[in-house]
Amino acid sequence: MNICIIGTGYVGLVTGACLAEFGMNLVCIDSEKEKIERLKGGHIPIFEPGLEDLLKKNVGQGRLRFSTEIKDGVTSSLVIFITVGTPPNEDGSSDLRQVERVAREVARYMNGYKVIVLKSTVPIGTSRRVKEIIRSHQSEPIHFDVVCNPEYQREGSAIEDFMRPDRVTIGAETEQAVAIMKDVYSPLYLNETPFVMTNFETAEMIKYASNAFLATKVTFINEIANLCEKVGADVHHVARAMGLDGRIGRKFLHPGPGFGGSCFPKDTRALVAMAKEKREHLGVVHAVIEANDRQKMKMVGKVREMVGDLNGRTVGILGLSFKPNTDDIRESPAIVIIQELQREGAKVRAYDPVAMDAAKVVLKKVKFCSDPYETVLDCDALVLVTEWNEFRHLELSRIKQNLKEPVFIDLRNVYEPSQMKSLGFRYCGIGR
Ligand code: UGA
């Protein structure tokens, strides 16, 4: 089957690489000439474990190619995935201009029956709107189907999530479209991955509801952790015991500095904005957004409690990306925390295994270091913000030696409080 992917961001590149790995013929399109040239040269613009190898392998085996020509992609493919960005507007709603532009172009070049698949997270109603845009921009009426097929890939484990998903959601209107999508995902379908077949609006809603629920779960445990600190409870035991109840489940109950990334913050705001438009108040999701903002600021309070007045003090930060295994710093708690520390007069030294280039663009006056040990030199405190594996086995005696004051603030509960205290650190985690 010939498939075209329009938009070579995270979702597009992962989808392209994985479908090529399933044995399909892929052409990945992007309007940015330079990006496509770099991709042709084997340069992958994002850090995603396993992606570079998978792309190179499938390009080498002739199943995957890159192009800037949308016409080439549309005319040569039966299935066209739209994976362009849907960035947030000021009011939290999504900017759909790229999706709409691509829909018009697809309509223009359509030369026979096509299935147009929306994989980017799109506001409810977009699939129907795309269908109408294509219909009204065709030069002659040609039969086509639109499918809403939201992605559930986490950055950092996107390939695994694509290859072994918990479910595949297909929002479609015809049997033909459903049959073709089953073909696209045949290795998963044969593997008994659950497929949820539904209409456009439901498929769109499933994606928002899933992300909003996961964001709620993280926020819930963060608030419980904050209370645990005040009452002498240990949030890890609380989360474990809660999670053993099958109705609750163990995942996404790890407390931290608040969720970040390109998805939860954007999708929760977009959901609230959509509800507002329909005069519905999503009180829970609204509260989650507010509590998450508070959580990030609360982390600065923790540093203040441990260090005292921050003016003129030096703080070392480990981890800048919003979570490990990605270079993505969008809405990263680390960035918010650093900017607030600086606002209160602190000097900041920082290190991240892959996200420093991205961070340099948005952070000013931060001393970027080459490893954790250089980072903590002469610092009044160390704050571990992102739980990269290489921060799980730090040489603690070296860290302590290099710090001016042995203050260790562990925002991901990587270390054991009793062990850290016995090593002579003034240590605090979250909710313990
Ligand atoms: C999220 C969803 O998990 C994916 O299923 C979805 O496809 C994706 O959004 C999307 O909409 O495209 P992602 O943003 O990559 O994926 O990251 P997550 O692993 O979900 O983490 C989100 C945030 O929650 C991170 O800041 C992470 O540190 C935080 N988190 C997560 C916690 O603080 N505690 C947890 O227990 C879990």
Side-chain angles (χ1 to χ4, degrees), residues 10 47-49 151-159 161 211 214 218 252 257-264 318-335 352-355 384-389 391-392 412:
Y10 269 104
F47 177 86
E48 180 62 40
E151 53 87 19
Y152 302 109
Q153 303 148 22
R154 283 164 300 170
E155 289 179 23
S157 51
I159 290 170
D161 287 347
N211 271 5
L214 291 170
V218 171
F252 271 71
F259 61 75
S262 64
C263 306
F264 287 0
L318 292 187
L320 297 165
S321 54
F322 80 99
K323 64 172 187 178
N325 296 321
T326 176
D327 61 352
D328 198 341
I329 55 156
R330 283 175 286 180
E331 308 259 356
S332 173
I335 304 296
D352 187 286
V354 301
L384 195 164
V385 190
T386 313
E387 71 278 33
W388 284 92
N389 271 343
F391 302 153
R392 291 182 183 276
R412 299 284 182 171

